[in-house]
Amino acid sequence: MATLRLGDKAPNFTAQTSEGEIDFYDFLGDGWGILFSHPADYTPVCTTELGTVAKYKDEFLKRNAKVMALSVDGIESHKGWINDINETQNTSVNFPIIADEDRKIANLYDMIHPNADDTLTVRSVYVIAPDKTIKLMITYPASTGRNFDELIRVLDSLQLTAYHKVATPANWKHGDEVVISPAVSNEDAKNIFTKGFKEVKPYLRLTPQPNLN
Ligand code: BEZ
């Protein structure tokens, strides 16, 4: 298996999930996708993560993004665990969880790092664009729960780049100024960025976030 890298096509698969059999590409349609792995069912950090993601449903919807989780346990285990997540996190899991007992998809997406653990997955996140290319990969150890505000932030950044030819500077957050791509000339920038831009250096040009009123 070749290691996946940014810009690669996200491999398609068919999986048994808590919501039935799903073809990944059909599930994503022409929107954005997030595939994220969990070491195992009935574990504390994962329980809080899945509850948190369920509560962010509207944020993902606003960004035309669908979420699919993966854990290496079976369907019946997932169903029981979902009840626990709903009860303890005061939510309702509203996305499919892949039952990857044979680790086919975990291996396809390089989610098992044998020197960390040779059977359970690490905490991987893949953000997949509408053209099915991989735009972002994040890998956390099992012991650290992910920051889903950060995931929303990078999704916003990726979408600004995809739709508005801008990049986002260090610690950027929604509403802050953004950076004009070096590929855009000043001449073109005047037409594209109608709110104007500041040229701090020829290679460092700032403009208000374009998709805000
Ligand atoms: C957890 O989700 O809490 C967890 C899973 C595997 C190892 C450590 C923590």
Side-chain angles (χ1 to χ4, degrees):
M1 178 209 61
T3 305
L4 291 174
R5 294 187 173 152
L6 297 188
D8 290 354
K9 203 56 113 187
N12 194 23
F13 56 80
T14 301
Q16 301 303 324
T17 81
S18 54
E19 297 184 1
E21 186 175 284
I22 293 182
D23 174 281
F24 188 48
Y25 277 16
D26 285 349
F27 171 79
L28 295 178
D30 56 8
W32 292 72
I34 294 163
L35 177 66
F36 65 126
S37 60
H38 295 272
D41 293 4
Y42 296 104
T43 49
V45 176
C46 296
T47 299
T48 62
E49 286 194 325
L50 292 181
T52 301
V53 170
K55 288 176 190 162
Y56 279 43
K57 186 182 176 83
D58 288 348
E59 295 302 319
F60 291 118
L61 261 180
K62 268 192 242 166
R63 292 161 177 85
N64 192 23
K66 285 188 163 177
V67 170
M68 191 181 286
L70 175 148
S71 174
V72 296
D73 294 305
I75 296 285
E76 289 314 312
S77 167
H78 282 5
K79 288 187 174 161
W81 184 36
I82 287 170
N83 289 337
D84 279 9
I85 297 166
N86 292 343
E87 177 197 325
T88 61
Q89 307 305 304
N90 194 25
T91 188
S92 183
V93 170
N94 44 34
F95 50 85
I97 307 176
I98 299 169
D100 195 32
E101 284 183 287
D102 60 4
R103 293 158 175 74
K104 190 181 87 185
I105 297 150
N107 285 324
L108 187 63
Y109 276 83
D110 201 21
M111 291 165 166
I112 295 180
H113 296 196
N115 291 326
D117 190 298
D118 55 10
T119 55
L120 305 180
T121 69
V122 291
R123 296 186 193 282
S124 301
V125 186
Y126 286 86
V127 177
I128 298 159
D131 67 359
K132 308 293 182 290
T133 56
I134 297 170
K135 292 294 180 191
L136 177 91
M137 301 188 305
I138 311 177
T139 308
Y140 274 47
S143 51
T144 304
R146 285 158 284 202
N147 183 326
F148 292 95
D149 290 325
E150 169 63 4
L151 187 57
I152 294 290
R153 190 189 79 90
V154 288
L155 195 49
D156 282 344
S157 171
L158 291 168
Q159 294 188 346
L160 280 167
T161 300
Y163 304 134
H164 299 283
K165 296 186 176 173
V166 293
T168 55
N171 289 346
W172 174 85
K173 55 185 182 339
H174 185 77
D176 288 351
E177 286 183 317
V178 298
V179 165
I180 298 173
S181 161
V184 178
S185 69
N186 272 352
E187 213 38 48
D188 288 343
K190 280 179 202 151
N191 296 322
I192 298 170
F193 303 106
T194 51
K195 295 173 190 165
F197 64 91
K198 262 186 313 218
E199 185 173 319
V200 182
K201 291 279 180 194
Y203 59 84
L204 175 56
R205 296 166 299 168
L206 298 168
T207 189
Q209 185 176 324
N211 58 347
L212 296 180
N213 293 325

mmCIF file of all heavy atoms in Angstrom, residues 53-77:
data_model
loop_
_atom_site.group_PDB
_atom_site.id
_atom_site.type_symbol
_atom_site.label_atom_id
_atom_site.label_comp_id
_atom_site.label_asym_id
_atom_site.label_seq_id
_atom_site.Cartn_x
_atom_site.Cartn_y
_atom_site.Cartn_z
ATOM 1 N N VAL A 53 -18.625 15.707 17.682
ATOM 2 C CA VAL A 53 -18.879 15.810 16.234
ATOM 3 C C VAL A 53 -20.383 15.827 15.957
ATOM 4 O O VAL A 53 -20.860 16.594 15.111
ATOM 5 C CB VAL A 53 -18.165 14.661 15.482
ATOM 6 C CG1 VAL A 53 -18.609 14.599 14.027
ATOM 7 C CG2 VAL A 53 -16.656 14.856 15.564
ATOM 8 N N ALA A 54 -21.136 15.020 16.690
ATOM 9 C CA ALA A 54 -22.600 15.019 16.491
ATOM 10 C C ALA A 54 -23.168 16.415 16.749
ATOM 11 O O ALA A 54 -24.040 16.892 16.021
ATOM 12 C CB ALA A 54 -23.240 13.994 17.410
ATOM 13 N N LYS A 55 -22.636 17.106 17.753
ATOM 14 C CA LYS A 55 -23.149 18.449 18.084
ATOM 15 C C LYS A 55 -22.751 19.484 17.033
ATOM 16 O O LYS A 55 -23.323 20.571 16.985
ATOM 17 C CB LYS A 55 -22.623 18.880 19.451
ATOM 18 C CG LYS A 55 -23.281 18.107 20.584
ATOM 19 C CD LYS A 55 -22.687 18.484 21.922
ATOM 20 C CE LYS A 55 -23.186 17.543 22.999
ATOM 21 N NZ LYS A 55 -22.381 17.560 24.206
ATOM 22 N N TYR A 56 -21.743 19.193 16.221
ATOM 23 C CA TYR A 56 -21.273 20.133 15.193
ATOM 24 C C TYR A 56 -21.976 19.920 13.850
ATOM 25 O O TYR A 56 -21.563 20.489 12.846
ATOM 26 C CB TYR A 56 -19.757 19.984 14.997
ATOM 27 C CG TYR A 56 -18.912 20.710 16.026
ATOM 28 C CD1 TYR A 56 -19.231 20.685 17.377
ATOM 29 C CD2 TYR A 56 -17.781 21.418 15.655
ATOM 30 C CE1 TYR A 56 -18.452 21.337 18.325
ATOM 31 C CE2 TYR A 56 -16.996 22.069 16.590
ATOM 32 C CZ TYR A 56 -17.336 22.019 17.918
ATOM 33 O OH TYR A 56 -16.558 22.670 18.843
ATOM 34 N N LYS A 57 -23.007 19.111 13.831
ATOM 35 C CA LYS A 57 -23.650 18.761 12.553
ATOM 36 C C LYS A 57 -23.977 20.003 11.711
ATOM 37 O O LYS A 57 -23.701 20.054 10.515
ATOM 38 C CB LYS A 57 -24.928 17.953 12.806
ATOM 39 C CG LYS A 57 -25.545 17.450 11.507
ATOM 40 C CD LYS A 57 -26.820 16.688 11.733
ATOM 41 C CE LYS A 57 -27.472 16.289 10.431
ATOM 42 N NZ LYS A 57 -26.969 15.077 9.819
ATOM 43 N N ASP A 58 -24.566 21.022 12.345
ATOM 44 C CA ASP A 58 -24.963 22.216 11.585
ATOM 45 C C ASP A 58 -23.747 22.926 11.006
ATOM 46 O O ASP A 58 -23.817 23.488 9.911
ATOM 47 C CB ASP A 58 -25.741 23.191 12.473
ATOM 48 C CG ASP A 58 -27.129 22.669 12.793
ATOM 49 O OD1 ASP A 58 -27.549 21.687 12.144
ATOM 50 O OD2 ASP A 58 -27.777 23.225 13.702
ATOM 51 N N GLU A 59 -22.645 22.920 11.739
ATOM 52 C CA GLU A 59 -21.418 23.567 11.245
ATOM 53 C C GLU A 59 -20.905 22.837 9.996
ATOM 54 O O GLU A 59 -20.481 23.466 9.026
ATOM 55 C CB GLU A 59 -20.329 23.584 12.334
ATOM 56 C CG GLU A 59 -20.696 24.430 13.541
ATOM 57 C CD GLU A 59 -20.993 25.881 13.170
ATOM 58 O OE1 GLU A 59 -20.269 26.447 12.337
ATOM 59 O OE2 GLU A 59 -21.980 26.432 13.687
ATOM 60 N N PHE A 60 -20.958 21.509 10.019
ATOM 61 C CA PHE A 60 -20.517 20.748 8.845
ATOM 62 C C PHE A 60 -21.479 20.968 7.682
ATOM 63 O O PHE A 60 -21.054 21.156 6.540
ATOM 64 C CB PHE A 60 -20.382 19.257 9.189
ATOM 65 C CG PHE A 60 -19.233 18.973 10.120
ATOM 66 C CD1 PHE A 60 -19.449 18.426 11.376
ATOM 67 C CD2 PHE A 60 -17.929 19.272 9.757
ATOM 68 C CE1 PHE A 60 -18.384 18.179 12.241
ATOM 69 C CE2 PHE A 60 -16.851 19.036 10.613
ATOM 70 C CZ PHE A 60 -17.084 18.487 11.858
ATOM 71 N N LEU A 61 -22.782 20.981 7.999
ATOM 72 C CA LEU A 61 -23.793 21.184 6.948
ATOM 73 C C LEU A 61 -23.588 22.522 6.242
ATOM 74 O O LEU A 61 -23.632 22.610 5.014
ATOM 75 C CB LEU A 61 -25.181 21.187 7.574
ATOM 76 C CG LEU A 61 -25.992 19.904 7.498
ATOM 77 C CD1 LEU A 61 -27.342 20.108 8.189
ATOM 78 C CD2 LEU A 61 -26.186 19.464 6.058
ATOM 79 N N LYS A 62 -23.335 23.587 7.051
ATOM 80 C CA LYS A 62 -23.116 24.936 6.489
ATOM 81 C C LYS A 62 -21.977 24.938 5.490
ATOM 82 O O LYS A 62 -21.925 25.747 4.586
ATOM 83 C CB LYS A 62 -22.731 25.905 7.621
ATOM 84 C CG LYS A 62 -23.857 26.642 8.263
ATOM 85 C CD LYS A 62 -23.289 27.755 9.143
ATOM 86 C CE LYS A 62 -23.650 27.545 10.583
ATOM 87 N NZ LYS A 62 -22.908 28.354 11.535
ATOM 88 N N ARG A 63 -21.029 24.041 5.720
ATOM 89 C CA ARG A 63 -19.830 23.973 4.867
ATOM 90 C C ARG A 63 -19.938 22.882 3.819
ATOM 91 O O ARG A 63 -18.932 22.515 3.206
ATOM 92 C CB ARG A 63 -18.604 23.776 5.763
ATOM 93 C CG ARG A 63 -18.349 25.011 6.613
ATOM 94 C CD ARG A 63 -17.480 24.739 7.810
ATOM 95 N NE ARG A 63 -17.196 25.971 8.555
ATOM 96 C CZ ARG A 63 -17.990 26.499 9.491
ATOM 97 N NH1 ARG A 63 -19.140 25.906 9.811
ATOM 98 N NH2 ARG A 63 -17.668 27.621 10.103
ATOM 99 N N ASN A 64 -21.144 22.345 3.649
ATOM 100 C CA ASN A 64 -21.383 21.299 2.649
ATOM 101 C C ASN A 64 -20.422 20.117 2.862
ATOM 102 O O ASN A 64 -19.845 19.588 1.905
ATOM 103 C CB ASN A 64 -21.231 21.880 1.230
ATOM 104 C CG ASN A 64 -21.745 20.939 0.164
ATOM 105 O OD1 ASN A 64 -22.586 20.074 0.447
ATOM 106 N ND2 ASN A 64 -21.229 21.058 -1.053
ATOM 107 N N ALA A 65 -20.227 19.758 4.121
ATOM 108 C CA ALA A 65 -19.272 18.690 4.450
ATOM 109 C C ALA A 65 -19.993 17.553 5.175
ATOM 110 O O ALA A 65 -20.827 17.795 6.051
ATOM 111 C CB ALA A 65 -18.158 19.235 5.339
ATOM 112 N N LYS A 66 -19.673 16.330 4.769
ATOM 113 C CA LYS A 66 -20.244 15.153 5.425
ATOM 114 C C LYS A 66 -19.151 14.426 6.189
ATOM 115 O O LYS A 66 -18.005 14.368 5.735
ATOM 116 C CB LYS A 66 -20.836 14.218 4.382
ATOM 117 C CG LYS A 66 -22.141 14.691 3.824
ATOM 118 C CD LYS A 66 -22.698 13.605 2.979
ATOM 119 C CE LYS A 66 -24.157 13.813 2.717
ATOM 120 N NZ LYS A 66 -24.655 12.749 1.820
ATOM 121 N N VAL A 67 -19.548 13.842 7.283
ATOM 122 C CA VAL A 67 -18.589 13.228 8.194
ATOM 123 C C VAL A 67 -18.828 11.725 8.250
ATOM 124 O O VAL A 67 -19.969 11.279 8.307
ATOM 125 C CB VAL A 67 -18.813 13.828 9.602
ATOM 126 C CG1 VAL A 67 -18.031 13.080 10.644
ATOM 127 C CG2 VAL A 67 -18.456 15.303 9.615
ATOM 128 N N MET A 68 -17.733 10.952 8.234
ATOM 129 C CA MET A 68 -17.829 9.512 8.457
ATOM 130 C C MET A 68 -16.711 9.094 9.417
ATOM 131 O O MET A 68 -15.553 9.472 9.229
ATOM 132 C CB MET A 68 -17.711 8.738 7.145
ATOM 133 C CG MET A 68 -18.062 7.276 7.289
ATOM 134 S SD MET A 68 -17.907 6.315 5.754
ATOM 135 C CE MET A 68 -19.324 6.846 4.841
ATOM 136 N N ALA A 69 -17.097 8.348 10.456
ATOM 137 C CA ALA A 69 -16.104 7.884 11.429
ATOM 138 C C ALA A 69 -15.762 6.424 11.145
ATOM 139 O O ALA A 69 -16.477 5.732 10.411
ATOM 140 C CB ALA A 69 -16.675 8.035 12.835
ATOM 141 N N LEU A 70 -14.664 5.983 11.730
ATOM 142 C CA LEU A 70 -14.234 4.585 11.568
ATOM 143 C C LEU A 70 -13.741 4.071 12.918
ATOM 144 O O LEU A 70 -13.023 4.783 13.626
ATOM 145 C CB LEU A 70 -13.101 4.507 10.538
ATOM 146 C CG LEU A 70 -12.432 3.155 10.296
ATOM 147 C CD1 LEU A 70 -11.954 3.027 8.847
ATOM 148 C CD2 LEU A 70 -11.278 2.880 11.261
ATOM 149 N N SER A 71 -14.162 2.856 13.243
ATOM 150 C CA SER A 71 -13.580 2.193 14.409
ATOM 151 C C SER A 71 -13.485 0.709 14.057
ATOM 152 O O SER A 71 -14.302 0.194 13.270
ATOM 153 C CB SER A 71 -14.441 2.437 15.645
ATOM 154 O OG SER A 71 -13.951 1.689 16.732
ATOM 155 N N VAL A 72 -12.514 0.022 14.615
ATOM 156 C CA VAL A 72 -12.221 -1.340 14.164
ATOM 157 C C VAL A 72 -13.085 -2.407 14.852
ATOM 158 O O VAL A 72 -12.757 -3.584 14.773
ATOM 159 C CB VAL A 72 -10.712 -1.670 14.347
ATOM 160 C CG1 VAL A 72 -9.852 -0.786 13.473
ATOM 161 C CG2 VAL A 72 -10.304 -1.537 15.820
ATOM 162 N N ASP A 73 -14.159 -1.990 15.492
ATOM 163 C CA ASP A 73 -15.081 -2.959 16.088
ATOM 164 C C ASP A 73 -16.287 -3.180 15.163
ATOM 165 O O ASP A 73 -16.427 -2.494 14.149
ATOM 166 C CB ASP A 73 -15.505 -2.480 17.478
ATOM 167 C CG ASP A 73 -14.322 -2.481 18.432
ATOM 168 O OD1 ASP A 73 -13.684 -3.539 18.580
ATOM 169 O OD2 ASP A 73 -14.006 -1.415 18.990
ATOM 170 N N GLY A 74 -17.140 -4.145 15.554
ATOM 171 C CA GLY A 74 -18.250 -4.559 14.683
ATOM 172 C C GLY A 74 -19.512 -3.725 14.868
ATOM 173 O O GLY A 74 -19.605 -2.876 15.757
ATOM 174 N N ILE A 75 -20.501 -4.014 14.020
ATOM 175 C CA ILE A 75 -21.747 -3.238 13.990
ATOM 176 C C ILE A 75 -22.492 -3.282 15.329
ATOM 177 O O ILE A 75 -22.944 -2.249 15.819
ATOM 178 C CB ILE A 75 -22.704 -3.807 12.902
ATOM 179 C CG1 ILE A 75 -22.098 -3.651 11.510
ATOM 180 C CG2 ILE A 75 -24.076 -3.157 12.975
ATOM 181 C CD1 ILE A 75 -22.141 -2.264 10.978
ATOM 182 N N GLU A 76 -22.616 -4.479 15.899
ATOM 183 C CA GLU A 76 -23.389 -4.578 17.153
ATOM 184 C C GLU A 76 -22.706 -3.778 18.256
ATOM 185 O O GLU A 76 -23.358 -3.093 19.054
ATOM 186 C CB GLU A 76 -23.588 -6.049 17.567
ATOM 187 C CG GLU A 76 -24.569 -6.789 16.657
ATOM 188 C CD GLU A 76 -25.860 -5.995 16.381
ATOM 189 O OE1 GLU A 76 -26.459 -5.475 17.336
ATOM 190 O OE2 GLU A 76 -26.253 -5.876 15.200
ATOM 191 N N SER A 77 -21.383 -3.857 18.275
ATOM 192 C CA SER A 77 -20.619 -3.075 19.249
ATOM 193 C C SER A 77 -20.865 -1.578 19.015
ATOM 194 O O SER A 77 -21.129 -0.813 19.955
ATOM 195 C CB SER A 77 -19.133 -3.417 19.095
ATOM 196 O OG SER A 77 -18.347 -2.496 19.791
#
